[in-house]
Each structure stands twice: as C-alpha cells, then as structure tokens.
Amino acid sequence: MSKGCAIVTGASRGIGAEIAFELAKSGFDIIVNYNNSKSQALSILEKIKQNGGNGSVFQCNVANRSNVDKMTEFALRTYGKIDVLVNNAGIAQQKLFTDITPDDWSQMLNVNLGGVFNCCQSVLPSMIHYKYGRIINISSVWGTEGASCEVHYSAVKAGIIGLSKALAKEVAPSGITVNVIAPGCIMTDMLTHDFDESTIKELAEETPVGRIGTPSDVARAAAFFASDFAGFITGQVLGVDGGFK
Ligand code: NAP
C-alpha cells in the first residue's frame, strides 16, 4: 500500500535520482522531477517500477513559480495529497568571487534558494490542510563552512539552512517537519564536472572516513527524515559528510 506522494526535485540524476529510488522502496509514489534530462528521468521511473514502486515524471524548472505550481497541481490531481517534498535540485559553479557576474549570482539564487522557496510555498497549503508533511532540503557542507571559489553557492546553501530553521518553527503546529541534509563530497556529475581526478582523490583523503560519499549515503538520510522515526525531529541540519567538517 502507498505511503503517500513524495516530490523529489532534480531527480533525473545524482543524489536526487537515488533519493527518488530510496523513497519509492519505502513505499512512496514518487514525482520524479527533472528540468533538462528527460530520458534519464524516465529511466529512473522505469527502475522504480521494476522494483515494485510507483510514480510519474514531471518536467519543471524549480526557479519558475508557475512551472512549480503546475507540478503541485499535477501531484494533487494524481495522488490526492503531497506527503513529502525533497528540495534537491541544484546547480554549482566554481569562480573567484571577483569574477562572479550579477547574472551568475541571480542564477545561483533563483535555482538553489528560489527553487526551495517556490516548492515549499507551492505545496504547503495542501500539507497544512492535511496537517501532515515532511520537507527535506538539500544544502551542503559549504553552506555551513563556506568554500573558496564558491561564494555564491555557499551563500545560497547557507540560506537554505536559515529558511528551513525558520519555516520549521512556523509550520510545526500544522504537523509538518522541515529538516536539512548537508552532504559533503558525493560522487555525482556535479563533483566530476567541477573537480579533476587528483582533486577528488585529495578530497577523499581529507574526508575522515577516507572516501567520497555515494548518492545512496544521502538518500538513506532522506528516507529517515521521511519516515515515522523522524516525527519529533524538525529544524535540524544533518551532515552526511564522512566527518569532513
Ligand atoms: P547533479 O548530479 O548535477 O544533478 C543535479 C540535478 O538537479 C539534476 O537532476 C538536474 O536536472 C537538477 N536541476 C538543476 N537545475 C534545475 C532546475 N532549475 N529545475 C529542476 N531541476 C534542476 O547534482 P548532485 O550532485 O546530484 O546534487 C544534488 C543536490 O545536492 C544539489 O542541491 C547540490 O547542491 C547538493 N550537493 C551535492 C554535493 C556533491 O558533492 N555532489 C555536495 C553537497 C550538496 P536536469 O539534469 O534534468 O536538468
């Protein structure tokens, strides 16, 4: 029997794809959100279905509010209510602070923080109506520690933490929890696009557990926050970083 509906943003690749798969294993019907990678999103849905799960794909740019509202309407029309929202979609960019253009800054803000704002505000009326919801926001170790050459990324990832802590207090009386996962270095396209092999090796050596994380490491933490075990936990930031910070 279905445990309800979970929207996972940026679920076509990397961490989001694994979160979608893990939540489907837990019994949720999944909205596999993607922006550009349609065929990869369809493959994730196929994998979910082959493992006995259920869900749908939905194209939507999380930075665009009317796109997001259409995704919410689709989820409500298809599954009746939204139990879980995982705000995972994100972009990264490596640049010296002095080279960051106003457009780079706006893009980073609009996707990584604006996307969280849009999705939370869009799904909350339904969650409040049903007096139940689990919101899980994906920040980063750089959001708590700051990273050189990623000032705009670090700023918006810190913003996600502020947003989540404040929202957690506001919606707790409505039976909704809001928690944050702050991953360390996780092996996805984002990491391999930004860093060469020797830098990734160095990052693994700098990580106390001695390895780069896997999308599955993060997905299991998300499944915990979505589960009945986490009902009394809200406004928290869980580092999934192998002891990196
Ligand atoms: P990734 O492999 O680059 O995947 C990014 C995902 O986000 C893709 O599914 C992409 O969808 C989606 N996305 C990007 N912009 C979008 C938009 N405007 N609307 C909807 N979806 C959008 O990245 P990842 O490593 O899995 O990262 C996932 C999250 O974890 C991000 O928030 C990232 O900041 C965070 N994180 C990652 C690491 C790491 O080391 N990998 C560490 C800390 C935090 P399409 O391909 O369909 O466009």
Side-chain angles (χ1 to χ4, degrees):
M1 196 183 117
S2 169
K3 274 200 173 163
C5 168
I7 295 178
V8 184
T9 70
S12 50
R13 296 184 285 118
I15 292 170
E18 202 56 38
I19 292 174
F21 186 63
E22 196 65 39
L23 291 183
K25 277 202 295 182
S26 304
F28 291 99
D29 296 320
I30 310 293
I31 302 282
V32 178
N33 162 250
Y34 70 98
N35 190 24
N36 297 308
S37 308
K38 182 176 182 180
S39 62
Q40 282 155 288
L42 287 167
S43 300
I44 297 304
L45 182 60
E46 190 52 36
K47 185 177 157 193
I48 285 171
K49 288 186 171 168
Q50 276 168 3
N51 282 274
N54 184 39
S56 315
V57 296
F58 198 92
Q59 192 282 332
C60 148
N61 173 2
V62 294
N64 179 313
R65 181 53 185 268
S66 68
N67 271 201
V68 169
D69 286 342
K70 285 192 183 107
M71 179 165 68
T72 299
E73 284 157 23
F74 172 78
L76 292 175
R77 213 169 44 243
T78 312
Y79 300 108
K81 61 189 175 64
I82 298 161
D83 300 84
V84 179
L85 166 66
V86 184
N87 284 305
N88 163 82
I91 53 170
Q93 187 182 47
Q94 294 258 316
K95 268 193 177 183
L96 280 173
F97 179 65
T98 45
D99 290 340
I100 293 172
T101 65
D103 280 350
D104 291 334
W105 174 261
S106 303
Q107 171 84 342
M108 190 62 74
L109 195 69
N110 291 342
V111 175
N112 286 11
L113 189 55
V116 177
F117 169 79
N118 286 335
C119 293
C120 288
Q121 212 178 49
S122 188
V123 305
L124 270 169
S126 166
M127 286 184 173
I128 290 167
H129 175 79
Y130 287 104
K131 290 210 165 296
Y132 184 86
R134 296 287 166 84
I135 297 176
I136 301 156
N137 294 329
I138 308 299
S139 174
S140 166
V141 67
W142 302 142
T144 59
E145 303 306 295
S148 167
C149 295
E150 291 193 67
V151 170
H152 50 350
Y153 181 81
S154 302
V156 297
K157 289 298 185 180
I160 288 175
I161 293 172
L163 180 155
S164 304
K165 282 178 176 280
L167 185 60
K169 289 187 174 148
E170 194 168 314
V171 298
S174 299
I176 300 161
T177 64
V178 186
N179 289 292
V180 177
I181 297 174
C185 299
I186 309 296
M187 189 54 85
T188 67
D189 296 344
M190 188 177 276
L191 195 76
T192 54
H193 179 266
D194 283 350
F195 301 112
D196 60 22
E197 213 174 300
S198 72
T199 311
I200 292 176
K201 196 164 167 273
E202 279 167 30
L203 287 167
E205 282 162 9
E206 279 173 46
T207 302
V209 302
R211 66 170 173 88
I212 297 293
T214 65
S216 185
D217 288 321
V218 182
R220 287 176 188 151
F224 167 70
F225 279 133
S227 76
D228 294 340
F229 294 120
F232 200 55
I233 302 173
T234 195
Q236 300 304 304
V237 181
L238 179 63
V240 180
D241 59 12
F244 192 82
K245 71 163 173 53

